[in-house]
Amino acid sequence: MKKTLITLLLIAATAPAAWAQDRIYRCGNEYTNNAQQAKERGCKLVEGGNVTVVQGTRPTGAAPAAPAAGTGAGAGTAPAASPPSAPRVATNDQKARDADARAILESELRKAEARHAELVKEYNGGAPERNALDLRNPQRYMERAAELKASVARSESDIAGIKREIARLPAN
């Protein structure tokens, strides 16, 4: 009897919240719960689930928007200019930062190359050394070989990415 009463009270408490939800309409990138406005604008009813819309903030000192890439003469050839309100950094400080960045990236490159060498050695050209578990379970061996192959490919990709980052840094 007590369980039934508690269940009924819970249902009664949650029912008004369910009735309070209005229908939500989507009008392009905007949402509304005003049925009349939605009908006038030809909006579509959003089915199932709740919609949460968070308004973004607009930047202050609104500068005119840059043209989209691929438009205008010489589009995509010049680097993006920093806004006039951006703080200026002394040349020596920037060179020190660039040198630090280069040192960090070169250190990461050495670590990545060492990891890659270990993985290549373990992968052994597609025939990794079998261990006790692999001898009992051939499927496990095949899965381990596939994982090693994927790890080798991923490490090659990591090394290429680090080299690209180093190439983007200004020369000393």
Side-chain angles (χ1 to χ4, degrees), residues 29-94:
N29 288 335
E30 297 178 17
Y31 294 89
T32 184
N33 59 355
N34 185 334
Q36 182 180 0
Q37 181 184 20
K39 187 176 180 182
E40 290 170 2
R41 295 174 58 187
C43 302
K44 296 180 181 176
L45 179 66
V46 176
E47 296 288 335
N50 297 327
V51 176
T52 303
V53 178
V54 178
Q55 293 292 332
T57 58
R58 302 231 187 264
T60 57
T71 60
T77 58
S82 61
S85 62
R88 301 295 291 170
V89 177
T91 305
N92 291 338
D93 290 343
Q94 187 60 47

Side-chain angles (χ1 to χ4, degrees), residues 1-19:
M1 179 72 176
K2 207 174 198 182
K3 288 182 181 179
T4 307
L5 182 61
I6 291 174
T7 305
L8 287 175
L9 284 174
L10 284 173
I11 291 172
T14 58
W19 292 325

